[in-house]
Amino acid sequence: MPAPSHPVGYAPEVLPPAATPDGLAARCTRALLSPWSRLGLLLALLAGAAAAMLLWRPQQLLLTGALAAQSSGPTALVDFALAYGVCTAAFVPRPVLNIAAGALFGCRAGLAAALVGTVLGAGLSFGLGRLLGQDALRPLLRNRWLTAADRQLSEHGFRSMLAIRLFPGLPFSATNYCAAVSRTGWSPYLLATALGSIPNTAAYALAGARASTPTSPAFLLALGFLAVTALGALVVAWCKRKALRGS
C-alpha cells in the first residue's frame, strides 16, 4: 500500500503546528527583561552618570557661561534647559544650576529656563525609575516608614509632591527616583513639580542675578526667603514624625 502524501490527521497541504521553542534565546530574553535585571541596569546608569558628573563637572560650563556663549537668544535658553534636565537626573544639585540660570540670563529668563529644566529632569528621573526600578523595589517596601511614605505618595500624589517641592532639604534627584517606585501618576507628579518648584527656583535665580551685589535688598530678600522655607521644612518634618511612626 502506498504511503499517504500528507500527515495523518491533517488536511492535505496543511502542515502540523510547530512547537513553541523555549530555547536559550527565549530564556535570555526573559532574564534580561526581569525586574532585577532592569534594576541592575538602572543602578549601572546612575553610577555611570554620577561618575561622569564628578569627572567632567558639566555644571562648571553652566556656571562659567561656556554653554551660553556658544548660542544666543532663545537657543541659549533651550540649550541650558536641556543641560539642566540631564544634570539634575545625574545628581547635580539644583541650587547650583538655579544660581547659574539667574547669573547667565537674569531673574525672569533664568527662572523660565530653570523651571523647564526642572520638569525635564524630574520627568527623566521618574521615567527611568518607573520603567527600570519599580517592579523590583515595590515588594521591598515592608518597613513601616517606607510603607507610610509610599501610601502617602500613592494616594495623595499631587499634595505630597507639592509639599516636597515647596520645602527645600530633600535631594531633588533622590526624591524623583523614590517617587517613581510609588503608584503616583505622571500628571500630578509633573504638575506638582512645576508649581511647587517656582518659589525656591525664583529665589535662587534672583540670588544668582544679584550675586555681584550681595548687599542689595533683592539678594538679601532671596536669601531670607530660602532660610524661611528651610525652617518651615524642619517644622513640617517635626510635626509629621509622629504620624509616620504611628502608621
Side-chain angles (χ1 to χ4, degrees):
M1 177 181 293
S5 59
H6 57 272
V8 178
Y10 291 92
E13 300 181 357
V14 176
L15 297 177
T20 302
D22 190 19
L24 180 61
R27 292 196 297 270
C28 290
T29 300
R30 286 198 299 269
L32 291 175
L33 296 179
S34 66
W36 287 104
S37 295
R38 285 182 283 145
L39 178 61
L41 175 60
L42 176 62
L43 295 177
L45 288 174
L46 296 182
M53 292 297 152
L54 291 175
L55 295 175
W56 184 40
R57 302 182 68 187
Q59 64 269 27
Q60 295 299 321
L61 294 176
L62 303 179
L63 286 172
T64 58
L67 178 64
Q70 298 177 3
S71 55
S72 60
T75 303
L77 291 174
V78 172
D79 291 343
F80 183 91
L82 293 175
Y84 186 115
V86 174
C87 287
T88 55
F91 306 107
V92 175
R94 280 186 67 243
V96 175
L97 304 177
N98 292 334
I99 292 174
L104 293 175
F105 305 108
C107 183
R108 293 183 180 179
L111 171 62
L115 283 177
V116 172
T118 296
V119 176
L120 289 176
L124 178 59
S125 302
F126 189 81
L128 287 173
R130 178 64 56 91
L131 177 64
L132 300 177
Q134 187 188 48
D135 292 341
L137 294 178
R138 279 204 65 81
L140 303 180
L141 299 178
R142 299 173 182 174
N143 180 274
R144 184 173 57 184
W145 282 38
L146 293 177
T147 302
D150 173 67
R151 183 169 61 251
Q152 185 71 20
L153 278 172
S154 299
E155 298 176 359
H156 310 285
F158 177 81
R159 185 176 67 188
S160 301
M161 288 307 306
L162 187 65
I164 290 174
R165 300 310 188 197
L166 283 173
F167 296 107
L170 295 176
F172 181 73
S173 298
T175 56
N176 294 337
Y177 291 111
C178 290
V181 181
S182 71
R183 291 192 175 95
T184 186
W186 278 89
S187 297
Y189 169 78
L190 293 178
L191 183 59
T193 296
L195 296 178
S197 300
I198 292 176
N200 287 299
T201 304
Y204 280 113
L206 178 60
R210 300 292 186 271
S212 59
T213 55
T215 58
S216 64
F219 184 85
L220 296 176
L221 179 63
L223 293 185
F225 177 81
L226 293 172
V228 169
T229 54
L231 180 61
L234 292 176
V235 172
V236 171
W238 178 265
C239 295
K240 287 289 185 181
R241 78 191 192 284
K242 291 184 179 180
L244 288 176
R245 287 177 179 176
S247 300

